[in-house]
Amino acid sequence: QVQLAESGGASVEAGGSLKLTCVISGVTFNACAMGWYRQAPGKERELVASIKNDGTTTYQDNMKGRVTISQDPAERRLFLQMTKLTTDDTAVYICAADCFDYCSGSFCFGDRHDYRGQGTRVTVSS
C-alpha cells in the first residue's frame, strides 16, 4: 500500500523559513519522479518543485532561489526547504510521487501511477 505523509507545515511570519518532510512508503524511489504541489485558497493547485529519479530538479519560476527539493531514499523521505517566505506562499503543500513499474536510469517503463498525500498547511503572516 502506498502512503505519503507530509509534516512540517506551520504558521510563520513573512521572511521566515520552513522545512517540509514527506515520508513515502510502498514505492520504489528510483522508479518515481517526486515533487511538491501547493494549493492556496481559491486558487488552482500548482507545482512548486520536482525531482526526477536521476536527481534532476525543477522549480516554479517565482520560487527559484527560495526553495530546495531533496530526497533521502534510504530514509524514504522527500524534503522541501523554503526560505524568505511571503504571504503568497500560504497554502496547503502536497507531496507527490509519479511512479512507473521500473526505470533504467532516466528511462522508465510500464504503467504510471500517480500518488498524492493529504497535505500540510503553511500559513505566512505579514
Side-chain angles (χ1 to χ4, degrees), residues 87-118:
T87 55
D88 288 340
D89 296 319
T90 294
V92 174
Y93 285 73
I94 301 156
C95 176
D98 298 338
C99 304
F100 290 86
D101 289 342
Y102 68 97
C103 294
S104 176
S106 58
F107 295 96
C108 297
F109 306 90
D111 295 333
R112 171 174 161 170
H113 304 276
D114 295 347
Y115 305 102
R116 302 291 182 261
Q118 294 298 308

Side-chain angles (χ1 to χ4, degrees), residues 3 5 7 22 26 29 31 33 35 37 40 44 54-55 59-60 72 80 82 84 88 90-91 93 95 101 105 120:
Q3 291 186 321
S7 63
C22 180
F29 264 60
Y37 288 83
E44 293 192 357
D54 63 0
Y59 297 96
Q60 184 188 90
D72 183 344
L80 185 70
M82 302 188 291
K84 302 177 183 176
D88 288 340
T90 294
Y93 285 73
C95 176
D101 289 342
T120 186

Side-chain angles (χ1 to χ4, degrees), residues 38-103:
R38 70 182 181 182
Q39 186 154 21
K43 295 185 178 181
E44 293 192 357
R45 184 175 294 187
E46 59 181 1
L47 180 64
V48 175
S50 65
I51 182 167
K52 293 183 178 179
N53 65 333
D54 63 0
T56 303
T57 57
T58 59
Y59 297 96
Q60 184 188 90
D61 284 346
N62 66 4
M63 298 197 79
K64 285 181 180 178
R66 298 195 298 120
V67 298
T68 303
I69 188 170
S70 61
Q71 61 185 28
D72 183 344
E75 294 296 324
R76 308 199 65 79
R77 282 169 166 76
L78 179 72
F79 305 103
L80 185 70
Q81 176 71 55
M82 302 188 291
T83 63
K84 302 177 183 176
L85 289 164
T86 73
T87 55
D88 288 340
D89 296 319
T90 294
V92 174
Y93 285 73
I94 301 156
C95 176
D98 298 338
C99 304
F100 290 86
D101 289 342
Y102 68 97
C103 294

